[in-house]
Amino acid sequence: MPTERNFLKMVLTFITRQQSLSMLFILLIMWIVLAFLSPYFLTINNIFEITLQSAVIALIAAGESFVIFSGGIDLSVGSVFAFSAIIGGLGLMATQNIFFSLLASLGGGLFAGFCNGAAIIKLKIPPFVATLGMMGIARGLALILSRGIPIYGLPRGYMWIGQGRVLGVVPVPTIIVLVLFTVMFFVLRNTRFGRFTYALGSNAEATRLSGVKIPPVMLGIYMISGAFASVAAVIESARLGTMQPASGSGYELLAIGSVFIGGASIYGGEGNIFASLIGALIVTTIRNGLNILGVSAFYQYVVNGLIIIFAVAADQSRRAR
């Protein structure tokens, strides 16, 4: 019996020290509790619905992960989300070509990310201020270019990206999320760019003195963040069948919260992109669970804010040990 207790204690200690594992454990407990509270929660359809709802926030969180791992922050992703959606929508209306529209959306996200990176590098502006400025610029451009009017009439082929299901079961956005997270996990763990991203967050000055050219790495990080915001915009536009200039409002908080919930350090230098995916699933599970239980949507903002605070507090506590 003492041996079994010691083993259980070792397992629990290991889980609590690894915040990503802790959050996975919490996610599983949340699913079990919600399954007892509602018979509709733990059904195949609802689980796939959670993955579908998570896709947009998870993709924005993937790009945000690169920024936070490097010690920065990107507050503009919600507005870049709307900007790239409108750019893609205007491209689609002008050409009726889905491929051109997708490229236009991606180009809009990359351009916004490039501007963020350039402002931080050339103008020596802190990431918080540079991306805060881009938040206003991108939102304004989305409203100006669309004249504040949503774009409707998307072709069926475009909407398949957000509404289609592989083999009639698995949502297409879920497949896109799994593929892109796997690719980005490989990039972070097995490429020089990925190692430089973590190094920047650990100690930017030491990284520079070791011969790493920081400007191109920084530009790449913020362009990835913008690109993922544009991919998320395509999926949501295809899912809803419209491109809204006011879309994406508040998504930056959900994405940043997902990354911190996944165990990334607020100081940069550590984190796991798949843990950010778990963070996005937790955020979405809470929203889904509260909806099923009939709790007012207003409480979701309160709960999400509390989760971010507790996630960062857990990181601080872990560092203090």
Side-chain angles (χ1 to χ4, degrees):
M1 289 298 288
T3 305
E4 292 178 358
R5 287 179 186 170
N6 289 338
F7 177 74
L8 183 60
K9 187 178 179 181
M10 286 174 57
V11 171
L12 290 174
T13 303
F14 178 75
I15 290 176
T16 52
R17 287 183 177 177
Q18 302 291 324
Q19 193 168 348
S20 57
L21 284 178
S22 302
M23 291 303 138
L24 180 59
F25 188 63
I26 290 172
L27 176 64
L28 293 176
I29 290 176
M30 287 171 60
W31 282 13
I32 292 171
V33 171
L34 288 169
F36 277 109
L37 293 175
S38 171
Y40 304 105
F41 181 79
L42 208 56
T43 60
I44 295 295
N45 283 337
N46 193 51
I47 293 300
F48 277 127
E49 185 61 28
I50 290 175
T51 64
L52 184 59
Q53 293 173 3
S54 301
V56 169
I57 300 303
L59 286 171
I60 300 174
E64 190 76 55
S65 296
F66 277 77
V67 177
I68 291 177
F69 295 168
S70 70
I73 193 86
D74 188 350
L75 299 177
S76 68
V77 286
S79 297
V80 172
F81 177 95
F83 172 68
S84 55
I86 293 301
I87 291 289
L90 294 176
L92 183 62
M93 294 300 105
T95 65
Q96 296 299 314
N97 186 305
I98 295 174
F99 184 67
F100 181 81
S101 171
L102 298 178
L103 283 181
S105 287
L106 183 61
L110 287 170
F111 176 72
F114 176 84
C115 292
N116 277 334
I120 294 167
I121 295 164
K122 296 296 182 183
L123 303 179
K124 310 295 182 186
I125 299 174
F128 178 88
V129 179
T131 58
L132 185 64
M134 180 55 70
M135 176 194 286
I137 294 169
R139 179 68 64 189
L141 287 176
L143 290 166
I144 292 168
L145 292 173
S146 67
R147 299 179 182 176
I149 302 172
I151 298 173
Y152 294 99
L154 308 186
R156 185 173 297 178
Y158 189 98
M159 291 197 289
W160 179 84
I161 299 171
Q163 301 177 10
R165 289 180 180 257
V166 176
L167 302 176
V169 180
V170 185
V172 172
T174 303
I175 303 293
I176 294 173
V177 166
L178 290 176
V179 170
L180 289 182
F181 267 80
T182 302
V183 171
M184 290 300 107
F185 178 80
F186 176 82
V187 169
L188 282 168
R189 291 300 176 96
N190 297 290
T191 67
R192 295 177 66 189
F193 177 79
R195 289 191 287 274
F196 292 164
T197 299
Y198 283 109
L200 266 178
S202 296
N203 192 324
E205 185 61 18
T207 304
R208 186 184 67 79
L209 293 174
S210 65
V212 176
K213 294 181 178 177
I214 291 179
V217 177
M218 189 80 76
L219 271 181
I221 288 170
Y222 282 89
M223 289 176 73
I224 285 174
S225 181
F228 269 94
S230 68
V231 175
V234 168
I235 288 178
E236 181 157 287
S237 300
R239 187 180 165 211
L240 301 178
T242 177
M243 293 151 174
Q244 303 269 354
S247 62
S249 179
Y251 282 9
E252 60 278 351
L253 291 182
L254 294 175
I256 291 169
S258 298
V259 179
F260 287 143
I261 290 168
S265 170
I266 193 171
Y267 303 106
E270 60 179 282
N272 184 313
I273 195 165
F274 273 116
S276 299
L277 177 58
I278 296 172
L281 284 170
I282 288 178
V283 169
T284 308
T285 296
I286 291 170
R287 299 171 68 184
N288 181 278
L290 292 178
N291 285 334
I292 286 180
L293 296 175
V295 178
S296 167
F298 299 151
Y299 288 96
Q300 295 175 15
Y301 295 101
V302 178
V303 173
N304 286 333
L306 289 173
I307 287 175
I308 293 174
I309 292 172
F310 283 123
V312 175
D315 175 58
Q316 298 283 47
S317 173
R318 184 164 54 90
R319 287 172 171 278
R321 290 176 194 169

